[in-house]
Amino acid sequence: MRGYYVPRKASWDTTACRSRSRSRKELGIRGREGIGPYGVESFVRRCIDSVFNAPGVERELTEKLAF
């Protein structure tokens, strides 16, 4: 807005609702309460892995957003 250039770098959001809902569906977990017995750290790791194991989904979304 004031003439400064700010470079943007595309990245994949590993905490997005898409990766959380995909991981919950794969694990058969319903709601936040179900994550506790599975383990928060294990669930977060599962979400991160789901993004990088299905890069086509994230790449397709990135192209749709024209980024």
Side-chain angles (χ1 to χ4, degrees):
M1 303 276 297
R2 295 185 176 185
Y4 295 100
Y5 174 73
V6 178
R8 303 285 186 218
K9 182 176 181 182
S11 63
W12 292 338
D13 187 2
T14 57
T15 61
C17 290
R18 285 184 318 280
S19 63
R20 283 195 309 254
S21 63
R22 189 178 332 145
S23 296
R24 271 195 237 149
K25 187 183 289 185
E26 290 172 357
L27 295 169
I29 295 174
R30 296 182 59 109
R32 292 176 60 173
E33 303 80 30
I35 296 172
Y38 183 75
V40 175
E41 288 185 31
S42 299
F43 184 74
V44 170
R45 172 57 38 202
R46 178 82 179 224
C47 292
I48 292 170
D49 291 343
S50 77
V51 170
F52 292 109
N53 288 336
V57 174
E58 302 299 326
R59 191 166 285 123
E60 181 181 319
L61 182 65
T62 302
E63 289 175 11
K64 281 183 182 179
L65 295 172
F67 195 70

